Amino acid sequence: MEPYIHKIHYYETDKMGITHHSNYVRFMEEARTDYLEKQGYGYTKFESEGITSPVLAVECHYHRSTTFDDEICITVAVEQYTGVKVTFRYTMTDEKSDKPLFTGKTEHCFIDKNGSPVIVRKKYPLLDALLKSLAAKDGEPV
Amino acid sequence: MEPYIHKIHYYETDKMGITHHSNYVRFMEEARTDYLEKQGYGYTKFESEGITSPVLAVECHYHRSTTFDDEICITVAVEQYTGVKVTFRYTMTDEKSDKPLFTGKTEHCFIDKNGSPVIVRKKYPLLDALLKSLAAKDGEPV
Amino acid sequence: MEPYIHKIHYYETDKMGITHHSNYVRFMEEARTDYLEKQGYGYTKFESEGITSPVLAVECHYHRSTTFDDEICITVAVEQYTGVKVTFRYTMTDEKSDKPLFTGKTEHCFIDKNGSPVIVRKKYPLLDALLKSLAAKDGEPV
Amino acid sequence: MEPYIHKIHYYETDKMGITHHSNYVRFMEEARTDYLEKQGYGYTKFESEGITSPVLAVECHYHRSTTFDDEICITVAVEQYTGVKVTFRYTMTDEKSDKPLFTGKTEHCFIDKNGSPVIVRKKYPLLDALLKSLAAKDGEPV
């Protein structure tokens, strides 16, 4: 699958001259959205089924700084899926030099329109099958 | 009325070493929210009446740059109110030196839960009276 | 010239369910950066010559709201160039429906590394010629 | 020490109606800056000594969502200090209900103007003593 590319915008830099560290959490969201879309289970599908997927935890490891105009290459994988929660893993490298920039994780649950937790394993067989198969391919054992 | 104070955060600066110009649109929103709250017509009241107030236009004039840790003093006034639309005027000065930093305007309409335009003059007498009186005090003739 | 495309990210939406209005100032910056790059006078060239181009004024007119996943098509033109200041004009339309979304302007001066104003007409003949020709093509008379 | 208060701005919310999770990384920065200032070692002092403190890692645990107008109470502590790196720990609670909202950590190193790592233990005795004493009070053994 094609990795997601994010080109750093001027407004994403800070006084230190580098991309502000908070923005990488946003880049992970961009890449995750794109990844699920490409898997055939994009946001519109989530929405039409009345579920959203709030973030429970985030982990960021910054290896090299970036700055305006740099192109970041982001790959996404499903690290773990329990039937109720899913963890994504992200690897960012510099598009030109291929040097490692960042690794991170985000953990999510699923909730319905009333904010109640959704057991994907029981209620959403298609999403369940997809996440299971992605975790089997790239993930770590639960 | 007490002006609203915004202290510049590190993440609001950019590679040029100054506060990124897009953030002033956010500072205007912060100050407007605070201003309406202090006038007794805060966001909760708007929401309980089922109206929101989208932005139609923004105008920004940057006089002096600011940077991390600077404190910006923001005053808000109602520039114009037509019974349907309202324009706010903002003046930002440096808290320490009192030097002018920024002047701006935002123009708003009002919509109900279905996204239909609301004629405040007809439907919301209290809000209408408030905006009229604020415009009479600080504003320019329609 | 190819227009610049910005796809709305989830983090750019707000509680109203639409793209927060402050983000359009950032979209204008993205499109302007891309435009100058395509004209052969990108940020790297500016930087190598020791000049930056702070924003003096911004104008935004919001015609239709957008939301997550919408693709915005942005065209940029030089509205006016005085030899010292330049004004860009932006038109945003919906990529799918071609409906008008937003029009805006940004006005800029140029400063050197010490923050002193730069008279482009006198000091930077190449940039001067470029801005003159762009203004002649798309702009309004000074 | 007084905890740091952050009131959620409208532009910090997203389409889900809650504060976007990326903003908590910014709230941690706000609180850390305020904390070091109150300890007598604020950003100006760092800058005058020619050191900056980039972020190496971030950890976020979201317990309850927040939304516009909520006030978040943030306490900061030094979790660990090695003489070269420092880890801060953050606890966010709801100002009104005192309910837990978020816990997080940020890990930092120190670099000089050339981007070279700084061994605080050897070069900056005052900062070293401060971080040691804060870690002794609130932190965990290295």
Side-chain angles (χ1 to χ4, degrees):
Chain A
M1 206 174 85
E2 283 290 289
Y4 179 79
I5 303 291
H6 178 95
K7 195 170 180 175
I8 302 297
H9 304 305
Y10 200 87
Y11 60 77
E12 289 168 340
T13 61
D14 68 16
K15 213 173 167 298
M16 236 189 275
I18 61 176
T19 306
H20 191 269
H21 64 282
S22 64
N23 291 313
Y24 291 79
V25 178
R26 301 182 167 192
F27 305 160
M28 288 195 282
E29 183 179 89
E30 292 180 27
R32 179 174 66 249
T33 305
D34 179 70
Y35 173 81
L36 289 171
E37 186 72 42
K38 284 174 182 163
Q39 299 292 349
Y41 222 104
Y43 177 80
T44 318
K45 194 155 173 53
F46 270 91
E47 205 177 36
S48 73
E49 293 180 333
I51 46 175
T52 51
S53 183
V55 177
L56 299 176
V58 166
E59 213 183 288
C60 303
H61 300 277
Y62 304 86
H63 305 309
R64 264 183 193 77
S65 65
T66 60
T67 192
F68 175 61
D69 229 22
D70 285 351
E71 285 185 276
I72 299 184
C73 182
I74 312 177
T75 57
V76 182
V78 173
E79 165 108 351
Q80 198 173 73
Y81 169 63
T82 67
V84 176
K85 293 179 187 175
V86 61
T87 303
F88 295 95
R89 187 178 62 226
Y90 310 81
T91 308
M92 305 193 191
T93 54
D94 184 75
E95 173 66 0
K96 278 181 198 148
S97 71
D98 208 37
K99 283 186 179 168
L101 299 174
F102 173 96
T103 50
K105 291 181 187 177
T106 61
E107 191 194 2
H108 305 253
C109 65
F110 299 88
I111 56 171
D112 63 20
K113 276 172 179 166
N114 307 315
S116 304
V118 162
I119 300 174
V120 175
R121 198 181 46 229
K122 291 191 180 168
K123 291 279 192 63
Y124 295 94
L126 257 176
L127 180 56
D128 182 62
L130 173 64
L131 293 175
K132 249 180 207 148
S133 100
L134 292 171
K137 202 177 52 169
D138 300 316
E140 293 171 2
V142 179
Chain B
M1 206 175 83
E2 283 289 290
Y4 178 79
I5 304 291
H6 179 96
K7 193 170 181 176
I8 303 296
H9 304 304
Y10 200 88
Y11 60 78
E12 290 168 340
T13 61
D14 68 17
K15 212 172 167 299
M16 235 189 274
I18 60 176
T19 307
H20 192 268
H21 63 283
S22 63
N23 291 311
Y24 291 79
V25 178
R26 302 182 168 193
F27 305 160
M28 288 195 281
E29 182 180 90
E30 292 179 29
R32 178 173 68 249
T33 304
D34 179 70
Y35 174 81
L36 289 171
E37 186 71 44
K38 284 173 181 163
Q39 299 292 350
Y41 221 104
Y43 176 81
T44 318
K45 194 156 173 54
F46 270 91
E47 204 177 38
S48 73
E49 292 180 335
I51 47 175
T52 51
S53 183
V55 176
L56 299 175
V58 166
E59 212 184 289
C60 303
H61 300 278
Y62 303 87
H63 304 309
R64 265 181 192 77
S65 65
T66 60
T67 191
F68 175 62
D69 228 24
D70 285 352
E71 285 185 276
I72 299 185
C73 182
I74 312 177
T75 58
V76 183
V78 173
E79 165 108 351
Q80 199 174 73
Y81 169 64
T82 68
V84 177
K85 292 180 187 176
V86 61
T87 302
F88 295 95
R89 186 178 63 226
Y90 309 81
T91 309
M92 304 193 192
T93 54
D94 183 75
E95 173 65 1
K96 278 181 197 148
S97 70
D98 209 38
K99 284 187 177 166
L101 300 174
F102 173 96
T103 51
K105 290 180 189 179
T106 61
E107 189 193 3
H108 305 254
C109 65
F110 299 87
I111 57 171
D112 64 20
K113 277 173 179 165
N114 307 315
S116 304
V118 163
I119 300 173
V120 175
R121 196 180 48 231
K122 291 191 179 166
K123 291 279 193 61
Y124 295 95
L126 256 177
L127 179 55
D128 182 62
L130 174 64
L131 292 175
K132 248 180 207 148
S133 101
L134 293 171
K137 201 177 54 169
D138 299 317
E140 293 170 3
V142 179
Chain C
M1 207 175 83
E2 285 289 290
Y4 178 80
I5 304 290
H6 179 96
K7 194 170 182 175
I8 302 297
H9 304 304
Y10 200 88
Y11 61 78
E12 289 168 341
T13 61
D14 68 17
K15 211 172 166 301
M16 236 189 273
I18 61 176
T19 307
H20 192 270
H21 64 283
S22 63
N23 291 313
Y24 291 79
V25 178
R26 300 181 170 194
F27 305 161
M28 289 196 280
E29 182 180 271
E30 292 179 29
R32 178 173 68 247
T33 304
D34 180 69
Y35 174 80
L36 289 171
E37 185 71 43
K38 284 173 180 163
Q39 298 293 350
Y41 222 104
Y43 176 81
T44 318
K45 194 156 172 54
F46 270 91
E47 204 178 36
S48 73
E49 292 180 334
I51 47 177
T52 51
S53 182
V55 177
L56 298 176
V58 166
E59 214 184 287
C60 301
H61 300 277
Y62 303 87
H63 305 308
R64 264 181 192 79
S65 65
T66 61
T67 191
F68 176 61
D69 228 24
D70 285 352
E71 286 185 275
I72 299 184
C73 182
I74 313 176
T75 57
V76 183
V78 172
E79 165 108 351
Q80 199 173 73
Y81 170 62
T82 67
V84 176
K85 292 181 188 175
V86 61
T87 302
F88 295 95
R89 186 178 63 226
Y90 310 81
T91 309
M92 304 192 193
T93 54
D94 184 73
E95 173 65 0
K96 277 180 199 148
S97 70
D98 208 39
K99 284 187 177 166
L101 300 174
F102 174 96
T103 49
K105 290 180 189 179
T106 60
E107 189 193 4
H108 304 254
C109 64
F110 299 88
I111 56 170
D112 63 21
K113 278 173 178 164
N114 307 315
S116 304
V118 162
I119 299 173
V120 175
R121 197 180 48 231
K122 291 191 180 170
K123 290 279 192 62
Y124 294 94
L126 258 176
L127 180 54
D128 182 63
L130 174 64
L131 293 174
K132 248 180 207 148
S133 100
L134 293 171
K137 203 177 53 170
D138 300 316
E140 293 171 3
V142 180
Chain D
M1 205 174 84
E2 284 290 288
Y4 178 80
I5 304 291
H6 178 97
K7 195 170 180 175
I8 303 296
H9 304 305
Y10 200 87
Y11 60 78
E12 289 168 341
T13 61
D14 67 18
K15 212 172 168 297
M16 236 189 274
I18 61 176
T19 307
H20 192 270
H21 63 283
S22 63
N23 291 313
Y24 291 79
V25 178
R26 301 182 169 193
F27 305 160
M28 288 195 281
E29 182 180 270
E30 291 180 29
R32 179 174 67 247
T33 304
D34 179 69
Y35 174 80
L36 289 171
E37 186 71 43
K38 284 173 181 162
Q39 298 293 350
Y41 221 104
Y43 177 80
T44 317
K45 194 155 173 53
F46 270 91
E47 205 177 37
S48 72
E49 292 181 332
I51 48 177
T52 51
S53 182
V55 176
L56 298 176
V58 166
E59 214 184 288
C60 303
H61 300 277
Y62 304 86
H63 305 308
R64 265 182 192 77
S65 65
T66 60
T67 191
F68 175 61
D69 228 24
D70 285 352
E71 286 185 276
I72 299 184
C73 182
I74 313 176
T75 57
V76 182
V78 173
E79 165 107 351
Q80 199 173 73
Y81 170 62
T82 68
V84 177
K85 293 180 186 174
V86 60
T87 302
F88 295 95
R89 188 178 61 225
Y90 310 81
T91 308
M92 304 192 192
T93 55
D94 184 74
E95 173 66 358
K96 277 180 199 147
S97 70
D98 208 38
K99 284 187 179 167
L101 300 174
F102 174 96
T103 50
K105 290 180 189 180
T106 60
E107 190 193 1
H108 305 254
C109 65
F110 299 88
I111 56 170
D112 63 21
K113 279 173 178 165
N114 307 315
S116 304
V118 162
I119 299 174
V120 175
R121 196 180 48 230
K122 289 191 181 168
K123 291 278 192 64
Y124 294 94
L126 257 175
L127 179 55
D128 182 64
L130 173 65
L131 293 174
K132 249 181 207 148
S133 100
L134 293 171
K137 202 177 53 171
D138 299 317
E140 293 172 2
V142 180

